Amino acid sequence: MKILAIDTSCDETCAAVLDKDTVLANKVTTQISFHKKWGGVKPSVAREKHKEFIDDCIHKALVSAQLKFEQIDAIAITVGPGLAVALEIGILKTKELVKLFNYNVLDVNHIEGHILSLFLKNRKNKYFTIPPELPFLCVIISGGHTQFVLVKNFREYEVIGGTVDDAAGEAFDKVARLLKLGYPGGPIVEEISRNGDPNKYILPRPMSRTNDFNLSFSGLKTAALVKLREIYASKNHEIDKDSISFSPHSNYYSTENIILSRQELSDFAASFQNAVIDTILIKLKKAAKELGIKHVAITGGVASNQALRRAFRKELKSIGVAFSYPHLKFCTDNAAMIGLVGYYKAKEGIYLDDVELLDRRPVMELSITNT
Ligand code: KG4
Ligand code: ZN
């Protein structure tokens, strides 16, 4: 069964072709350079760039899979969660293709895609990385979401906790913006953290004592801002402290105003990264203990962070919990993971009856999905 998959939920235009659970092609046209100057994703730019890139991205995926449109059996499309104006472009393209080729339609939840990215196979019918055994606890750590999800079976989920405000990736992006490091912040913070001391600056682990599996990264971001002000003040730097903000329009932190030395910047980034990792780990270990979890997996853009992977591996090993993660190319947004959800839905015969019913669902929740 050949599936063409499309994802335009955020700032990457993605198309993939799968044969059942095997990835034949996976193309991602990144828009990063167009969003950089805004210090984050600008929805109107995302929409325009998806429009510009989508045909070429699909074409490249088909060429790489050595298939023609006529050889595709079904189309899998992300309907949410994501940016409404961006989701719309993939949906419009899907409707156009269905009218031309009469494909069966599989509507997909993007978060479910991140979860199933752990189970993608290569052309040799081997998993890209060793997948977790069911049931397992999946930690989705992306730019839009940070959630603990109990995966009881394929397509059977229970959200047990997550961030009450910002996502972990969002916090990386905001702190990177504060330090004028560029966008997306995660990979840059990881890079400059390599030479830093993760215990140099004391930052909090918000909500670590609450009796639930929830997290807060907005609190951590604010604490990072306060800490930075303190560092500036300790250097007697003459600044109007109130003008420091996370606003992308604030020019206060122009590069020349960064008065941190290279080492201080590395220490600050490493301390922040450490706080993010620790904040998640505290609640993850609590969940593992209280719920008797034997397998944990991470997915989403932040799951590509090597320091996070190292810390999780070590801590989970110490409590006898197995640990899995997707191949790096399937951590950040991609359409292969959307195609795999589509395949599982197709196996159950869950197609969308009428393509005209296809609509974007920007705040779609991950529910016990059987439809
Ligand atoms: O999963 P993803 O591609 O998109 C969403 O669905 O949100 O995640 C993107 C997020 C961004 O916030 C980016 O800064 C973060 O993942 N990210 C990282 C790393 N690579 C990407 N965060 C920390 N370390 C990384 N290496
Ligand atoms: Zn994503």
Side-chain angles (χ1 to χ4, degrees):
M1 172 179 208
K2 311 280 192 302
I3 297 175
L4 171 66
I6 298 173
D7 182 290
T8 59
S9 61
C10 193
D11 60 344
E12 317 274 18
T13 311
C14 312
V17 180
L18 273 73
D19 183 4
K20 298 181 182 160
D21 52 0
T22 294
V23 182
L24 299 181
N26 183 50
K27 298 288 168 194
V28 179
T29 311
T30 183
Q31 304 180 359
I32 284 174
S33 58
F34 305 100
H35 295 283
K36 249 189 173 126
K37 71 171 169 181
W38 308 101
V41 181
K42 191 161 164 68
S44 57
V45 173
R47 182 182 172 84
E48 284 316 303
K49 293 298 159 190
H50 282 311
K51 263 196 209 167
E52 192 181 325
F53 297 152
I54 194 160
D55 283 328
D56 184 57
C57 192
I58 294 172
H59 175 73
K60 283 188 175 132
L62 285 167
V63 168
S64 165
Q66 296 181 301
L67 289 173
K68 295 191 165 47
F69 278 114
E70 293 78 5
Q71 293 169 289
I72 297 292
D73 301 301
I75 187 160
I77 172 73
T78 301
V79 292
L83 289 173
V85 293
L87 289 163
E88 263 164 26
I89 302 304
I91 287 172
L92 284 171
K93 182 52 65 184
T94 300
K95 288 185 174 171
E96 193 184 309
L97 292 173
V98 170
K99 279 185 190 127
L100 284 172
F101 300 102
N102 204 23
Y103 296 142
N104 286 317
V105 183
L106 299 150
D107 52 330
V108 174
N109 179 309
H110 182 82
I111 301 299
E112 189 175 10
H114 275 300
I115 297 173
L116 291 196
S117 67
L118 293 150
F119 298 92
L120 287 163
K121 287 183 180 164
N122 63 23
R123 282 177 182 263
K124 291 181 182 149
N125 203 31
K126 296 263 188 313
Y127 290 111
F128 282 92
T129 51
I130 301 164
E133 276 176 33
L134 290 158
F136 67 98
L137 179 62
C138 192
V139 195
I140 295 127
I141 336 172
S142 71
H145 292 83
T146 304
Q147 280 185 329
F148 292 115
V149 179
L150 268 181
V151 182
K152 299 176 180 175
N153 209 333
F154 289 118
R155 318 220 52 255
E156 202 185 319
Y157 311 108
E158 185 185 340
V159 180
I160 60 160
T163 182
V164 296
D165 39 54
D166 292 353
E170 199 178 344
F172 268 104
D173 294 338
K174 285 178 174 170
V175 167
R177 193 157 77 200
L178 180 72
L179 296 169
K180 284 282 169 197
L181 294 173
Y183 174 82
I188 313 166
V189 169
E190 176 175 11
E191 177 64 33
I192 64 165
S193 290
R194 289 215 174 94
N195 304 317
D197 173 0
N199 299 309
K200 174 82 188 215
Y201 299 108
I202 310 294
L203 292 167
R205 278 52 173 158
M207 295 186 72
S208 59
R209 293 211 185 91
T210 57
N211 195 22
D212 51 29
F213 305 124
N214 289 334
L215 313 158
S216 163
F217 290 106
S218 173
L220 179 55
K221 170 200 75 183
T222 307
L225 170 64
V226 170
K227 180 62 70 184
L228 204 57
R229 283 176 175 170
E230 273 172 35
I231 302 169
Y232 268 59
S234 71
K235 287 172 173 265
N236 288 327
H237 191 61
E238 290 292 321
I239 51 170
D240 168 11
K241 295 189 185 70
D242 291 333
S243 71
I244 302 174
S245 81
F246 286 99
S247 158
H249 309 297
S250 163
N251 290 323
Y252 197 85
Y253 279 111
S254 60
T255 319
E256 60 273 24
N257 278 336
I258 291 280
I259 55 163
L260 301 183
S261 68
R262 194 172 264 270
Q263 189 57 50
E264 283 169 325
L265 197 57
S266 288
D267 291 343
F268 192 84
S271 301
F272 168 74
Q273 180 174 269
N274 191 30
V276 173
I277 295 170
D278 219 27
T279 301
I280 304 171
L281 259 179
I282 291 167
K283 288 293 169 85
L284 177 57
K285 288 202 298 190
K286 176 178 156 69
K289 193 172 161 213
E290 288 178 18
L291 306 176
I293 304 290
K294 291 278 163 273
H295 297 265
V296 163
I298 54 170
T299 66
V302 185
S304 38
N305 186 292
Q306 297 300 323
L308 181 141
R309 288 182 177 207
R310 266 195 308 279
F312 275 44
R313 188 180 295 117
K314 181 166 167 265
E315 291 295 321
L316 290 170
K317 195 174 171 198
S318 75
I319 54 168
V321 173
F323 177 49
S324 306
Y325 37 80
H327 188 287
L328 280 179
K329 66 182 167 193
F330 302 125
C331 283
T332 41
D333 286 348
N334 65 88
M337 65 186 195
I338 304 305
L340 190 59
V341 179
Y343 172 58
Y344 278 101
K345 289 188 88 165
K347 276 208 295 188
E348 293 176 45
I350 307 170
Y351 294 101
L352 195 73
D353 294 337
D354 178 359
V355 71
E356 289 311 322
L357 297 176
L358 199 60
D359 200 2
R360 83 254 194 308
R361 296 177 59 189
V363 289
M364 189 180 194
E365 297 285 335
L366 183 73
S367 54
I368 297 180
T369 343
N370 268 316
T371 54

